[in-house]
Amino acid sequence: MNTIWGINVGTHDSSISVFNKSRNELDLVFAAHGERSSRIKNDKLLSHDVFQQAIAHNGAKLPGEVVYYERDLYKRTRQLWARQWKTALRKPFVSSYLPSYVQDSIHIPYVGQRESSIEHHQSHAAAGYFTSPYTDAAVIVIDSIGEWATLTIWHGEGTKLKKVYSQSYPHSIGLWYSAMTQRVGLKPNEEEYILMGWAALGDPERLHKEIYEDFFYKLEPEWPQVKFKHNLHRGCRWWRPELNKVKDYADIAAGTQLVYEYVFDHLIKATKKMVNSKNLVVMGGCALNCVANSIAHEAYDGNVWIMPNPGDAGSSMGAVLAKEKQFIEWKGPYLGFNIRGDYPVKELLQELKTNRLVGVANGPAEFGPRALGNRSLLADPRGADVKDLVNTVKKRESFRPFAPVILEQYASEYFDGPVGPYMQYTSKCRYPKEFPAIAHIDNTSRVQTVNREQHAGLYELLKQWYRETGCPMLLNTSLNIKGEPMVDTEEDAERWQKKYKVKVFTKSK
Ligand SMILES: [Fe+2]
C-alpha cells in the first residue's frame, strides 16, 4: 500500500489530503486545512501540527509520494507578466515547505523524490468530478487566479477528464468579484460571502447596468468567453468614488451579485451547449456562491455536484485525484482532526432547552468552509432575538442570517427550492416570520438537510429536539468568531468556551 499526500501550500488556504492506495483502490483517509491547527486564518503554510495530524490519522504512516497543487514555475511566468516581481523571483519552491522527515520518506535512492504537481484548474475539476456520483458530467471551474487559467470547462467521461474551454488571466470573474468586495470595504479573498449576503439589502436595479458596462465586454450568446475591460488584480477602488455611503455599498453589492448571476447563467447555458451531459459539477471559489448555484441546480434538474470544499483548499484532494484519475467513494466532508467519543446528544439537547445556544466539537472536523455539525454552534431557531444573540457572540454584522439544519424528511415542508447536506443552495423559507434567525431579508435560507447515514449523531439530536419542541430544525453556524478559524481540537473547544461563555460539548459523558 502506498500513501499519497496532496499538498496545497504557499498560497492562501493551505491544506493537506491523505490517500491510501492499494492495488487499484484509492481511499481518502484525512483532509485538513492548515489554518485549523495553526490558528491563523487562511494560513498559507502547513504547520508541524497538521503534518503530525496527517500522520497520526493514518496509523503513523508517512507518505511515499507527494502531489502538489499548482505548477509552481508556470505560475511564476504569470506573476512575472503581472509584475509581481518579488513573489515570482523570491518565493520559496513548494517542496521547501515540507519538513525533512517527509522529504526523506518520499526520496528513493538513485531515483530522487517521488513528487509531482498538477495545474490549478485541473485539480479543481478533478476534486469535483472524481468525488461526484457521476461517470459522465460537464465540469465548470470559476475562480480568481491560479497559474493563468481563470475559467475552464471540462467534460468528464469515465475516468477521462478533458478540458474543452479555457480562459486566462487577466480576464477573471473571481478577481472581479473580489475587487467589488474590496470596493465596498470588505476583505478581498476572504469576505466575498459577506458581499453576497449584503446584496439582499441593496437595490440591484440601481447599479447593475453600470457595473456590467463598466467592467464587462458584452457576452456573446452560447460562447463562454467572459472578457473584462480592466485588469482587476489590484482591485477597483478607483471605480465611482462618489458612491461611498452605506446605502451605496449595499446597492453595489446587490448590483454585483445580480451581474454575477447573469454571467453565471450565461456560462451554464454555454456549458450545456458545449458538453453533452445531463450532469453538472461546479468547482472553484465561485462555487461557494450559493445564490448562483441555485441557477445551476434548476438548469440541470438537480443533477449537480459541488464538492463541499470547492475552493483552493479542496484542491489538495483534487491534485491527487487528477494524477490518479480515479473516482473515490465519497463518504462525506468529515475528514479532519478527530475528537473521539460519542456525539453528545443528551448534553446538547439539555443546553439548547435551557440556554438556546450551544457549541459542539466532536468527531472529524469538516473539510470545507462550512460547519456541518462537528464544529458547530447550534441554536434554537425560533423567536425574534436569536439572530442578534448569535451574531453578538460571533461578532458578526447584524444583518447576516444563519443557516438552518433540518431533518431531511421535513425540508420541503419548511423550504421551497433546492436543499442539500452541504448548505450549497438557497431556497425560500415558507415561514420567515417564525424563524427570522435562519431567513435572510429576502426570505431565503441556505439549508442543510441531514439523514441518519450522513450524520447519525446530528440526526438523533434533531429527532429528539423535534419530539420535544415540534420544531425539526436548529440554527447551525461555525464554531468560531468572525475572522478566526473554526475550533479544531478539544483544547481549542475549551478555550472557546471560556472566552465566549458558551458551553461547548466534545463528547457524551
Ligand atoms: Fe482556485
Side-chain angles (χ1 to χ4, degrees):
M1 188 177 67
N2 186 24
T3 291
I4 312 172
W5 280 10
I7 297 281
N8 171 15
V9 72
T11 62
H12 60 98
D13 296 337
S14 67
S15 71
I16 181 167
S17 295
V18 177
F19 291 81
N20 284 330
K21 189 182 176 182
S22 51
R23 295 219 178 97
N24 276 329
E25 284 281 302
L26 194 60
D27 197 16
L28 173 63
V29 290
F30 178 80
H33 297 245
E35 64 165 33
R36 305 281 164 85
S37 45
S38 73
R39 312 304 300 152
I40 300 167
K41 184 79 182 160
N42 295 338
D43 197 355
K44 61 180 186 174
L45 301 179
L46 291 167
S47 66
H48 170 75
D49 286 356
V50 77
F51 286 121
Q52 289 305 313
Q53 286 182 6
I55 294 164
H57 282 70
N58 191 26
K61 280 193 282 293
L62 279 155
E65 188 180 345
V66 163
V67 187
Y68 298 105
Y69 169 51
E70 289 194 333
R71 294 242 152 104
D72 198 4
L73 285 174
Y74 188 35
K75 185 169 178 170
R76 284 170 207 258
T77 63
R78 193 263 302 158
Q79 286 164 335
L80 285 172
W81 190 90
R83 299 188 194 165
Q84 295 170 277
W85 312 117
K86 234 165 101 184
T87 320
L89 300 171
R90 294 208 199 138
K91 207 176 106 180
F93 285 99
V94 281
S95 56
S96 68
Y97 292 109
L98 291 186
S100 57
Y101 55 87
V102 176
Q103 301 268 10
D104 292 345
S105 90
I106 58 168
H107 184 83
I108 303 173
Y110 310 111
V111 176
Q113 305 281 92
R114 288 191 73 202
E115 57 184 359
S116 51
S117 56
I118 299 287
E119 271 183 33
H120 190 110
H121 268 232
Q122 192 184 355
S123 305
H124 274 311
Y129 181 60
F130 290 116
T131 56
S132 79
Y134 315 126
T135 50
D136 177 279
V139 183
I140 178 162
V141 181
I142 316 169
D143 67 359
S144 292
I145 180 71
E147 296 97 353
W148 283 90
T150 57
L151 161 67
T152 51
I153 298 169
W154 306 70
H155 189 181
E157 275 184 296
T159 54
K160 284 201 187 84
L161 191 54
K162 194 174 141 214
K163 187 159 56 184
V164 295
Y165 179 79
S166 175
Q167 182 177 302
S168 291
Y169 177 84
H171 302 283
S172 165
I173 300 165
L175 280 181
W176 162 73
Y177 202 91
S178 290
M180 299 311 274
T181 300
Q182 189 189 41
R183 175 63 186 78
V184 297
L186 297 169
K187 209 169 163 190
N189 262 332
E190 196 177 313
E191 296 187 333
E192 282 74 8
Y193 64 98
I194 301 180
L195 184 88
M196 183 179 71
W198 207 351
L201 276 80
D203 172 11
E205 295 306 318
R206 182 179 156 210
L207 293 167
H208 77 94
K209 213 162 164 261
E210 274 171 70
I211 293 172
Y212 180 63
E213 283 170 4
D214 289 354
F215 292 104
F216 291 79
Y217 286 107
K218 206 170 176 314
L219 302 177
E220 289 174 42
E222 299 182 359
W223 181 237
Q225 181 170 272
V226 182
K227 284 203 129 191
F228 288 83
K229 294 178 177 170
H230 309 276
N231 183 342
L232 297 164
H233 204 156
R234 289 176 178 83
C236 63
R237 276 182 277 216
W238 46 264
W239 183 72
R240 300 283 311 266
E242 74 282 7
L243 298 173
N244 53 20
K245 313 239 165 20
V246 175
K247 170 80 179 92
D248 295 332
Y249 283 8
D251 292 346
I252 293 175
T256 300
Q257 179 61 25
L258 188 66
V259 171
Y260 178 72
E261 288 166 30
Y262 172 70
V263 172
F264 187 74
D265 183 56
H266 161 81
L267 289 172
I268 296 295
K269 286 185 179 125
T271 303
K272 267 202 156 170
K273 200 88 195 155
M274 288 186 102
V275 181
N276 180 21
S277 177
K278 62 175 183 27
N279 306 313
L280 178 72
V281 174
V282 188
M283 290 295 288
C286 294
L288 289 165
N289 194 311
C290 37
V291 183
N293 288 344
S294 300
I295 297 172
H297 195 276
E298 199 182 331
Y300 277 79
D301 293 327
N303 297 319
V304 177
W305 169 252
I306 304 166
M307 198 271 276
N309 199 356
D312 287 358
S315 288
S316 59
M317 184 191 289
V320 175
L321 294 173
K323 172 156 186 294
E324 295 298 319
K325 298 182 181 59
Q326 232 174 303
F327 286 95
I328 54 162
E329 192 195 335
W330 179 255
K331 295 173 194 149
Y334 309 102
L335 292 157
F337 181 82
N338 193 0
I339 299 180
R340 288 172 207 282
D342 290 335
Y343 202 73
V345 174
K346 186 173 76 224
E347 291 83 351
L348 295 172
L349 190 66
Q350 191 52 47
E351 192 64 16
L352 280 166
K353 284 196 304 190
T354 34
N355 287 321
R356 302 199 298 161
L357 179 66
V358 67
V360 58
N362 174 273
E366 293 85 350
F367 186 52
R370 285 165 190 146
L372 298 164
N374 280 7
R375 300 293 184 274
S376 284
L377 192 58
L378 303 168
D380 182 345
R382 302 166 299 173
D385 58 335
V386 184
K387 188 163 97 171
D388 289 346
L389 178 77
V390 186
N391 266 328
T392 308
V393 170
K394 292 201 52 162
K395 305 189 194 313
R396 299 192 344 161
E397 297 79 6
S398 59
F399 68 82
R400 289 177 55 205
F402 293 94
V405 56
I406 185 165
L407 288 167
E408 190 183 68
Q409 59 271 36
Y410 294 102
S412 61
E413 225 176 87
Y414 287 79
F415 301 98
D416 178 19
V419 296
Y422 309 128
M423 298 183 186
Q424 292 168 317
Y425 306 101
T426 51
S427 58
K428 282 270 172 212
C429 178
R430 295 186 197 273
Y431 311 103
K433 290 211 172 72
E434 273 116 285
F435 304 101
I438 53 92
H440 205 3
I441 197 158
D442 58 1
N443 295 340
T444 59
S445 300
R446 197 158 41 88
V447 183
Q448 177 193 358
T449 55
V450 68
N451 62 33
R452 197 187 297 278
E453 285 70 45
Q454 285 153 354
H455 198 311
L458 187 58
Y459 181 79
E460 190 52 40
L461 172 67
L462 279 160
K463 250 182 66 182
Q464 292 193 23
W465 172 251
Y466 177 57
R467 204 175 298 144
E468 298 211 12
T469 64
C471 170
M473 66 176 136
L474 286 167
L475 178 157
N476 180 11
T477 183
S478 49
L479 190 57
N480 65 345
I481 61 150
K482 190 181 167 231
E484 171 190 88
M486 269 186 241
V487 159
D488 197 38
T489 62
E490 276 174 287
E491 292 74 42
D492 296 337
E494 214 180 299
R495 256 200 317 267
W496 205 91
Q497 172 174 276
K498 256 194 204 146
K499 197 164 172 190
Y500 301 111
K501 316 271 182 286
V502 175
K503 274 228 156 101
V504 179
F505 293 95
T506 54
K507 63 190 77 164
S508 193
K509 291 258 159 58

